[in-house]
Amino acid sequence: MNLKKLLSEIHRELWLLKHRGHDYSCPFCGYNADMMLPFGQEFVEDVEKYHIVGGGKRNVRCLKCGSHDRERLVYIYLKHVAGIFQSSRKFEVLHIAPEPRLSQTLLKSNLNYICGDLFTKGYTYPEYVRNMNVLHLPFEDNTFDVILCNHVLEHIPEDRKALQELFRTLKPSGLALLQVPISYQLEHTIEDFSIQDPHLREITFGQEDHCRLYGKDYIDRLKDSGFEVKMINISTEYAQFGVNPEENLFICRKRV
Ligand SMILES: [Zn+2]
């Protein structure tokens, strides 16, 4: 190891030592911290009024491993509520557009884990991520016990088609966690495909690469695809893991 790298590692270790505390506990790396780092993109004034939950700039990044609130929430649900790691059954899990910490943890677990993303030019992907289009999933009907699609649908123009594919490949009574950024102040989702300009998208939907801003009728969109949906909030119960108190989980099941 060269001297520059060694000094940088010592500096990082001292910094982590300095910020050890009891305010947050990361379920991925186990680091206990007195603070978290900023993550996400600040909303422009035009969309701030919508009070979008699950987006925007917020202090939610783990100092040690870089995990963020949204992937921690999904992991905590799977671990502490669904109990999929404790089960004697080997669950079949599909993870779309996998977040690094969550996917690495699931990969090392006792699950039959597959993850995929639509490969985009200019980006690199870990070798365990498969090139996959959520609009045409290369799997038989009723394949997966658990499907994770965490803050992905807002990027997909044909989100209803994606939902149909997720529903098709989920096993009867299987579980899908399909989180999106959402405004509970909006009765109806804002969607306008004529808006293609990145800046117009940012001031309309909250982010330049989003196709829409979901409102309270998101739940109807899930139900239209066949899912039975229950909206729950576990954030207060697991506040020590630095999750967003306002982020509800959409627990989607395939009716048997
Ligand atoms: Zn961490």
Side-chain angles (χ1 to χ4, degrees), residues 146-166:
V146 178
I147 294 182
L148 309 174
C149 187
N150 198 15
H151 292 264
V152 178
L153 292 166
E154 67 275 15
H155 297 272
I156 303 175
E158 294 179 90
D159 65 336
R160 288 180 188 274
K161 189 169 169 27
L163 284 169
Q164 281 166 16
E165 274 297 88
L166 298 171

Side-chain angles (χ1 to χ4, degrees), residues 26 29 62 65 67:
C26 178
C29 69
C62 172
C65 74
S67 73

Side-chain angles (χ1 to χ4, degrees), residues 219-235:
I219 205 159
D220 299 326
R221 210 171 277 228
L222 296 170
K223 286 177 180 171
D224 289 347
S225 305
F227 289 108
E228 201 167 66
V229 188
K230 203 163 96 181
M231 193 171 77
I232 64 165
N233 190 303
I234 61 167
S235 297

Side-chain angles (χ1 to χ4, degrees), residues 116-158:
D117 207 338
L118 187 62
F119 285 6
T120 309
K121 221 174 160 184
Y123 287 85
T124 52
Y125 299 85
E127 43 82 29
Y128 59 83
V129 178
R130 291 168 57 172
N131 188 8
M132 204 183 283
N133 186 344
V134 71
L135 301 178
H136 304 282
L137 290 173
F139 305 106
E140 302 277 311
D141 296 358
N142 310 321
T143 301
F144 298 102
D145 297 290
V146 178
I147 294 182
L148 309 174
C149 187
N150 198 15
H151 292 264
V152 178
L153 292 166
E154 67 275 15
H155 297 272
I156 303 175
E158 294 179 90

Side-chain angles (χ1 to χ4, degrees), residues 26-31 62-67 72 101:
C26 178
F28 293 116
C29 69
Y31 179 65
C62 172
L63 271 70
K64 189 168 183 181
C65 74
S67 73
R72 289 196 294 268
R101 270 68 51 176

Side-chain angles (χ1 to χ4, degrees), residues 127-254:
E127 43 82 29
Y128 59 83
V129 178
R130 291 168 57 172
N131 188 8
M132 204 183 283
N133 186 344
V134 71
L135 301 178
H136 304 282
L137 290 173
F139 305 106
E140 302 277 311
D141 296 358
N142 310 321
T143 301
F144 298 102
D145 297 290
V146 178
I147 294 182
L148 309 174
C149 187
N150 198 15
H151 292 264
V152 178
L153 292 166
E154 67 275 15
H155 297 272
I156 303 175
E158 294 179 90
D159 65 336
R160 288 180 188 274
K161 189 169 169 27
L163 284 169
Q164 281 166 16
E165 274 297 88
L166 298 171
F167 183 80
R168 180 185 68 76
T169 51
L170 187 68
K171 280 184 190 172
S173 78
L175 160 75
L177 293 180
L178 311 174
Q179 297 298 105
V180 293
I182 188 167
S183 167
Y184 292 100
Q185 296 182 8
L186 285 172
E187 289 297 324
H188 302 287
T189 294
I190 300 175
E191 192 169 47
D192 182 347
F193 295 115
S194 70
I195 302 174
Q196 294 292 326
D197 176 71
H199 178 64
L200 285 178
R201 282 186 163 195
E202 189 184 358
I203 62 175
T204 313
F205 308 131
Q207 206 170 296
E208 61 183 33
D209 54 351
H210 287 184
C211 301
R212 68 187 64 78
L213 172 54
Y214 289 105
K216 286 201 278 191
D217 58 350
Y218 173 57
I219 205 159
D220 299 326
R221 210 171 277 228
L222 296 170
K223 286 177 180 171
D224 289 347
S225 305
F227 289 108
E228 201 167 66
V229 188
K230 203 163 96 181
M231 193 171 77
I232 64 165
N233 190 303
I234 61 167
S235 297
T236 310
E237 205 179 334
Y238 297 99
Q240 74 271 28
F241 297 120
V243 286
N244 182 346
E246 293 183 300
E247 187 169 2
N248 296 317
L249 279 164
F250 293 94
I251 309 298
C252 304
R253 294 204 175 265
K254 190 168 181 175

